[in-house]
Amino acid sequence: MAEETVKGWDTSTMAAMAASDIPDGSYVNLGIGIPELVASYVPEGRELVYHTENGLLGMGPSPAAGEEDHELINAGKKYVTAIPGASYFHHADSFAMIRGGHIDYCILGAFQVSHNGDIANWSTGEKDAIPAVGGAMDLVAGVKNIYVIMQHCTKTGEPKIVENCTYPLTGKNVVKRIYTNYAIIDVTEKGLYVNKLAPGVTFDFLQKNTGAGLHLK
Amino acid sequence: MINKIISSVEVAVRDIPSGATILVSGFGEAGSPVELLHALVDLGPTDLTIISNNTGSGQAGLAALIANHQVRKVICSFPKTSNSVVFPELYRSGKIELELVPQGTLAERIRCGGAGIPAFYTPASVGTPLEEGKETRIFEGRTYVLEYAIRADYALVKCRKADRYGNLVYNKTARNFGPVMCTAASTTIVQASEIVEAGNLDPESIVTPGIFVNRVVEVRNPLDESILIAENRSYPWQKKQ
């Protein structure tokens, strides 16, 4: 169980670290939630182009109050803007960009990630839930680099990084890096490698709160 | 002379029979052909199969058609939104069927349906519950799932501008499924916010060439789903209390 006293990084810091790992000129798709914050922390001098799978390349920030356009939304169905140089396209083209390997990075939230990079982020398998998948399975199957950004444990303290996912999978062997409040962890062919620890987090503490074996770089 | 312009939404949809399979454009509220859907509520065919990314929000548009018990089955990638109330209730009580399809697979199935390609292999959903029962094949060491094309009897699509040939341009992210859906139906019915003279649309900028469209009807100032939700409106319109 997570100890109350160890908080690690806040979500802004997690987002800023993810942002600093994306090279200049990348085409990027951001998932809903913490991933959306990444756009606010892109280091100066770098230009990233945001793709939203409902049909916009060159997505800009939220519009000012009163400037919302009902026909200009993102994949989370929130109002957005288009930057100068943006383009609109239909869904088959949008998913050609995704499956065809044209998008460089996708940063997603997750319920669980396994030791070999399986991801579960579309369903908790609850009996009463309405199943809904959206573009998640296409994104993890097609985007070159899949990064996950999430809290290290659930609200009840259960590890979200596990040996094998117990929730229904979104994709297998797809996640390359995980940013949590406790650490940055790389998913490699040899297993999970700790890339960076948050202040106050020891390797032993991290391992205790992780459901799969970790290695130090 | 070719003239695909129809006088009203009622006339545009009036031959849609019970049991029809219908593609409905839109991603959330953007691009949803609300007025054509309301005309379909008024007409009243039942036992419909609807192919659309979502299942509507609030109590108007696609949600009104479903609430009116006209829909037997939906083929859909994300059958809920923060404001969807109608579909979840019917689904939980077993009164509507759902075929859940990854969003990109849905788009490609429709694209193939319109392009004369019966099936295709995709990497999306491999190793997940949505792959179960489907044929797979390995190409260059990677596993892919066989998915079949979708064709429909009708497509209901919203666009920004059309001409009498059925040439269309869309508006921003309201384009979404419109162009692929136009290609994959026996009869494609389009509501345009404006109908312009032939020659008025730049041939270099036309998104859907008229060959894919059968009927266009002008609906000026189409309704916005989010405004209908904010005002708690349900179709057929209730008198304000």
Side-chain angles (χ1 to χ4, degrees), chain A residues 108-121:
Chain A
L108 291 166
F111 299 133
Q112 290 176 325
V113 179
S114 79
H115 75 284
N116 59 344
D118 295 353
I119 177 172
N121 80 341

Side-chain angles (χ1 to χ4, degrees), chain A residues 52-56 69-77 79-80 88-92 95 99 122 128-138 140-142 168-172 174, chain B residues 27-30 54 77-81 88 91-92 98 100-105 107-108 111 122-125 127-130 142 158 171-177 179-180 224 226:
Chain A
T52 182
E53 61 267 27
N54 55 315
L56 166 61
D69 182 331
H70 295 282
E71 298 200 316
L72 183 44
I73 60 175
N74 67 11
K77 304 188 175 79
Y79 299 120
V80 294
Y88 300 111
F89 35 83
H90 63 66
H91 256 66
F95 283 84
R99 271 190 258 89
W122 68 283
D128 208 29
I130 304 295
V133 63
M137 289 184 182
D138 307 277
V140 300
L169 289 186
T170 310
K172 282 176 91 88
V174 291
Chain B
F27 177 92
E29 67 173 319
N54 307 103
S77 93
F78 207 85
K80 60 182 179 188
T81 60
Y91 180 75
R92 288 198 180 101
L98 168 67
L100 189 69
V101 182
Q103 198 172 329
T105 300
E108 191 63 11
R111 193 193 72 81
T122 176
S125 88
T128 78
L130 296 191
R142 189 172 182 197
K158 180 188 183 184
N171 186 39
K172 306 188 180 81
T173 58
R175 181 183 306 193
N176 57 67
F177 282 90
V180 286
D224 273 322
S226 56

